[in-house]
Amino acid sequence: MRLFGFLRERRWTPAVGYGLFVALLAAGYYYNVTFVQLGLLDLGTRLVGMTETQVSVWMAALALLTFGVAVATGVTMDRRGWSADLLVKLRLLFGVVALQTVLTAGAPAIRTVPAFGAWIVAASVALGVGIPASFGLTVDLVPVEDRGYVAAATTALAYFAANVYPLDWSIESFAAIMVAAMVPGALALGVLASGRVGPANRLLAGLADQHEEWGVGRFCRPRPVRTRSVAFWGPVALMFGVFFVDSLGFLRIVETPALVRGAWRSPDFADHLFLGVVHVLGALVAGVLYANFDRNWLFAWVFGLFSLTHLFYTTDVRVAAWFPGLASGGASPLNSAVYAVAVSFYTTLNFALWPDLSTPDTVGAHTALGVGLAGWVATFLSTAVALYFEAAEVTLLSHLNLVNALALLLFAGLVAAVYLRRLVAAAREASAG
């Protein structure tokens, strides 16, 4: 890693840049997987009084608005040159964190549907601006050689924290934790982005030009990846499939008490600590794989792991149905552990992939399209499908079998596509020779 070289040479400025990036991205991801995904459901159903279906409709609006704002912001950043301007990105992020702090502090007081809707619209603006502004920092702060490892560290930190704290999935708990962390974070970002504090200015001056050496992503060499190309939309389609499979399966698993009693909803802290450690180990392995292998093999690992974990879950469900006497009343810890590894794998890939498909001139639009479409919109669509299955009274076994089949199909399709591409390349070389 180049980071070790910076530390040996006592070049503290680039090393601080690594820490700044990991802290900002891990905090942002922790906010999304806890407060947004879990807290808003509790707010809408328990305090506002809506049904889960009604809350899901508002969450769909959140996803689509966030995607639209992200794309508009990313394209604007690229066209105005802001994607290559570290100070502008930090100022955008300061605005995002300041707005989110106010929204987060006020969320537990919401009691009506119109107020909930207004909160969703304002939160969408903050999230949409935050996607290209935060992911765009990669070109300034992380050299290409280290992006897999840095993405792994970000994933490990975010998921370890999300699994061990808080254990109470209520909007009040989430808001208290977030506000306590966001107020000092917003103040620090404000100082950094103000341009009026000497030490902060010297730090930014040392970081501002790093994109000239580090900005061109791993997959943009020797030629930049164009937005209107298979090289860009292929990974978008694969990541869309990853998020779709994950959400479609997890939404049903987390609503089945027998499958989460010893995992994500366990009253025992040791179970949460176990999952947090597994996430960390999974992220570290994914970082090593990303740095040393082609991205398609990491996608194949993700689909394979999702297939394996759903095979485990469906086996437990079948055993419980066929042999009630053998059923232990809960799923094996191995199921949730494999699931956690799969999630860490694709989250690491998601942090590193979009900047590596970009240059400083395209990182705004590419990260907005990649994260917004493959992440937010895919999650919204899979939520809608899961709600349809629930309304149609699709059984747990059938639901998980379908997710398993989809993961297997994507795994086999990807392996076949890689094999065919290599055959075509070999045939072209043979004909050219």
Side-chain angles (χ1 to χ4, degrees):
M1 288 183 68
R2 292 189 65 177
L3 174 61
F4 297 145
F6 295 140
L7 294 176
R8 281 195 300 272
E9 297 165 7
R10 299 188 177 186
R11 294 174 60 187
W12 306 122
T13 298
V16 170
Y18 279 69
L20 178 64
F21 179 85
V22 171
L24 286 172
L25 271 290
Y29 209 76
Y30 176 83
Y31 182 83
N32 287 335
V33 299
T34 56
F35 188 86
V36 175
Q37 293 187 16
L38 302 173
L40 291 188
L41 180 61
D42 177 66
L43 171 63
T45 54
R46 185 170 59 84
L47 298 184
V48 180
M50 291 187 286
T51 64
E52 287 194 4
T53 302
Q54 290 172 320
V55 175
S56 298
V57 172
W58 281 108
M59 294 294 283
L62 173 76
L64 293 175
L65 282 171
T66 296
F67 174 60
V69 173
V71 172
T73 304
V75 171
T76 301
M77 286 172 58
D78 289 347
R79 288 182 176 176
R80 292 180 176 272
W82 297 349
S83 294
D85 191 324
L86 176 61
L87 185 59
V88 170
K89 285 181 277 191
L90 289 175
R91 286 176 173 170
L92 288 173
L93 281 177
F94 169 68
V96 167
V97 176
L99 176 57
Q100 286 181 326
T101 303
V102 174
L103 291 171
T104 304
I110 292 175
R111 292 293 185 275
T112 65
V113 174
F116 186 81
W119 194 99
I120 289 289
V121 172
S124 302
V125 173
L127 291 168
V129 174
I131 290 172
S134 58
F135 277 74
L137 292 176
T138 314
V139 300
D140 302 288
L141 304 179
V142 187
V144 172
E145 300 90 330
D146 288 1
R147 286 182 182 174
Y149 304 116
V150 172
T154 307
T155 300
L157 185 59
Y159 273 111
F160 182 82
N163 274 276
V164 301
Y165 197 78
L167 302 187
D168 177 22
W169 290 0
S170 69
I171 190 69
E172 292 89 348
S173 296
F174 288 129
I177 295 166
M178 298 301 170
V179 171
M182 292 167 82
V183 169
L187 290 174
L189 261 179
V191 169
L192 203 58
S194 67
R196 298 181 178 179
V197 180
N201 290 346
R202 287 193 289 275
L203 173 64
L204 291 183
L207 299 172
D209 295 330
Q210 291 183 152
H211 69 271
E212 294 176 2
E213 179 186 356
W214 300 351
V216 178
R218 172 183 171 187
F219 306 115
C220 289
R221 301 172 180 182
R223 293 184 298 275
V225 172
R226 291 180 294 108
T227 306
R228 297 178 181 179
S229 69
V230 176
F232 178 72
W233 287 101
V236 171
L238 289 172
M239 192 62 83
F240 188 98
V242 168
F243 275 94
F244 189 90
V245 166
D246 175 28
S247 297
L248 187 61
F250 190 71
L251 284 172
R252 191 62 181 262
I253 290 171
V254 82
E255 290 185 355
T256 308
L259 300 184
V260 293
R261 194 179 301 132
W264 297 278
R265 300 308 298 265
S266 171
D268 189 348
F269 177 76
D271 291 329
H272 293 268
L273 182 61
F274 169 71
L275 282 176
V277 171
V278 170
H279 269 294
V280 171
L281 296 176
L284 295 178
V285 173
V288 173
L289 291 174
Y290 183 86
N292 293 282
F293 292 93
D294 184 85
R295 62 182 183 271
N296 286 332
W297 291 114
L298 204 51
F299 274 117
W301 269 100
V302 172
F303 290 131
L305 286 168
F306 274 130
S307 304
L308 185 62
T309 191
H310 283 98
L311 177 64
F312 288 159
Y313 277 116
T314 53
T315 301
D316 282 352
V317 174
R318 285 192 180 93
V319 169
W322 293 343
F323 309 104
L326 297 178
S328 61
S332 165
L334 182 62
N335 301 6
S336 53
V338 177
Y339 206 111
V341 172
V343 170
S344 281
F345 266 47
Y346 87 71
T347 306
T348 300
L349 182 58
N350 191 49
F351 276 125
L353 178 62
W354 309 117
D356 269 349
L357 288 168
S358 310
T359 69
D361 297 325
T362 60
V363 71
H366 283 192
T367 56
L369 287 167
V371 178
L373 187 61
W376 286 92
V377 176
T379 301
F380 150 63
L381 282 178
S382 63
T383 301
V385 173
L387 288 172
Y388 171 77
F389 284 171
E390 187 175 344
E393 299 182 350
V394 174
T395 65
L396 173 63
L397 182 59
S398 298
H399 187 134
L400 297 183
N401 274 335
L402 181 66
V403 179
N404 194 18
L406 184 57
L408 278 172
L409 179 65
L410 289 167
F411 173 77
L414 177 59
V415 172
V418 171
Y419 180 68
L420 287 174
R421 191 177 67 176
R422 291 190 175 186
L423 279 182
V424 171
R428 285 177 177 171
E429 286 181 6
S431 61

